[in-house]
Amino acid sequence: MVSLVKLIRKLPFMDLRKYRKADFLPDLSAAGAVTLMVVPQGIAYALIAGLPPAMGLFAAALPVIIGSLFRSSRHVITGPVNAISVLVGASVIAETTGDPVQIALSLALLTGLMQVAAGSLRLGALLDYVSRPVLLGFTTGAAVLIAAGQLPNLTRTGNESGNLINRLYGWYSHLGGAHLPSILIAISTAVVIIGIRRFWPRLPAATVAIIGTTAMSMTMGWSEMGIRVVSDLTPVPRGFPSLTIPTVANITQLIPLAGACTVLSLVETSAIARSLSIRTGQRISISTEFIGEGLANITASFFGGYPTAGSLSRSTLNHGAGAKTRLAGILSGCMVILVLVFFGNLVDYTPIASLAGLLFVVAYNLIEHHEIRQVLNSHFADRIAFTATMLGAWVLHLDQAIYLGVGISLVLFLQRLRVLAIREIGFDDSGRPREVTRQPEAGSSVKQCRSIHLVNLEGSLFFGAACQLESALDELIREPSLKVLILRLKRTQHIDITAAHVLSDIANQLRQQNRTLILVGVQPAALRWMGRTGVADQIGRENLFPTMPGRWFRALEASVVRALEKTGKHACGDNCPLHEWLRARKNT
């Protein structure tokens, strides 16, 4: 019983015990602003997902309340978002047989369970492998798909499912039956939203535009003029969201898509939480964010919603409108429920063309022109990850596009990681160490010992770099004059058993030829690991020199002394640059 009480006290929403009355009005005001934004957004995003408009509102009601209660951030607002809506619409509704509503409910349940598991297992670090170019490529591809998906609603013509090319061709083939009033309504809505945002940025532009067209639809009888409204799709039910039970039999087929929804939702949510925490100074637990978002998705699956994520626009508005605590998010969810109970019949009159105009603006705003230019001017790996993900979004299932982008990022990351910098070290006229190339330039004054080769390694000594390491060392030890090979490991990281076997094999090969391998600058943790695995004994503990505190090159000095002891009188004689370097070090 005592442990249960302690557990309850650690729940995120327990910070409301210290709630101040002075915070209520700012929280209430912020909740009202978020609600004005989410109502038109929820309907529009459900339209993107190919779901009944009410599901967008259901996803913005109870899931928002649960998410606000159980996440660590006080300002992140969950609910329907554009990227997840495109993922659901393109990959489930268009391509999967079965009832779209039940598929969406099951998808929300699976996504929620995966997110709770990820939070419980503290897998937040895995999201670091989803690079920004992958997300940028996905959102750019999704933006184009959103716009293409709304073209039939713009012209009130037939549409086609499938990839971007099929959609555009299907829309073009039906263009002869375009409905001019619908086109004018969509364009007017987009112009009004853009105008309000430019000249009156404090007003909720989307809400004003949608309320205006809805009012005109009611008073002028637009539905009788052939203009489609929300009720023509599915009327918004009145009242509290009813209990729904996911019943899709082939739920296992949704696991890959649920994994993509999980990754995308968690990446967006954690990025928003971190961004807001910088402004507020609040400490964020990414694992708690995962669990809170997962519980919100599970709630959505049982109360008529579809997969949710943290919303950048609504979370930023929530913070900017003065929200002080997580109560603002809770109140926003309650207000959406009030809209469903008392104003659901008004939503039915919203013109579909007007929502299409809103979504064209949303699609344009999703394209981050500045960031795209940055990526295209960046490294080759970033350009490939961005381009492949964007093109994948247009020709593949969107979940496959995400996995494609992540896979490319990982491959290119490992490709960069496996590159080792292997450079020999010589000494200039003043006795200072200098890196040299295998073919020194004419007139170079850098001197090297012919019997003792000093080599600097820089990079990660893991299995991916083992082949490169082995080839480089094989080339070095072919020189017949070589007696001792000193490898300086101070700038290496992550040595694993594969790379260690390469080093021990080289040491054994040199030992059989009465030659020696010495490792210098070994990090203490790596030295302990070598001792546990037996690699230290294979190389010879007397030939391992860990980093030493104090003067620079202290460990290198000790290793050079050891090398000179092993070689004795050698080809360089008394003019050996290593002898000169040691004498210079002693004098300083």
Side-chain angles (χ1 to χ4, degrees), residues 129-149:
Y129 293 98
V130 184
S131 66
R132 179 61 186 168
V134 169
L135 290 179
L136 189 63
F138 176 82
T139 55
T140 303
V144 175
L145 287 176
I146 289 173

Side-chain angles (χ1 to χ4, degrees), residues 344-359:
N345 58 333
L346 300 180
V347 176
D348 286 341
Y349 290 95
T350 303
I352 299 300
S354 182
L355 294 173
L358 166 61
L359 289 173

Side-chain angles (χ1 to χ4, degrees), residues 208-336:
V208 171
I210 298 301
I211 288 178
T213 54
T214 301
M216 294 175 68
S217 174
M218 292 176 60
T219 57
M220 300 173 65
W222 280 1
S223 60
E224 299 174 1
M225 299 167 54
I227 297 172
R228 289 191 303 167
V229 295
V230 167
S231 61
D232 292 331
L233 299 179
T234 304
V236 176
R238 283 66 165 170
F240 191 85
S242 58
L243 182 66
T244 52
I245 306 295
T247 57
V248 175
N250 57 346
I251 194 170
T252 55
Q253 297 181 8
L254 296 179
I255 290 179
L257 179 62
C261 285
T262 299
V263 170
L264 186 59
S265 173
L266 294 183
V267 168
E268 287 195 2
T269 301
S270 60
I272 294 167
R274 286 168 173 166
S275 175
L276 291 176
S277 68
I278 293 174
R279 304 184 199 177
T280 63
Q282 182 190 359
R283 295 183 63 183
I284 297 297
S285 168
I286 296 300
S287 296
T288 305
E289 285 297 307
F290 286 7
I291 293 174
E293 191 61 44
L295 293 175
N297 271 303
I298 293 173
T299 303
S301 71
F302 287 101
F303 288 93
Y306 68 97
T308 65
S311 167
L312 177 60
S313 59
R314 296 193 294 275
S315 300
T316 304
L317 175 62
N318 185 45
H319 174 259
K324 302 297 183 183
T325 72
R326 65 182 70 247
L327 184 63
I330 298 170
L331 291 174
S332 173
C334 293
M335 289 180 181
V336 174

Side-chain angles (χ1 to χ4, degrees), residues 13 98 152 173 178 194 258 266 275 282 294 305 351 366 393 414 421 457 460 490 501:
F13 62 79
S173 63
I194 294 171
L266 294 183
S275 175
Q282 182 190 359
L366 270 178
L414 292 175
L457 295 184
S460 294
K490 189 173 183 179
H501 271 298

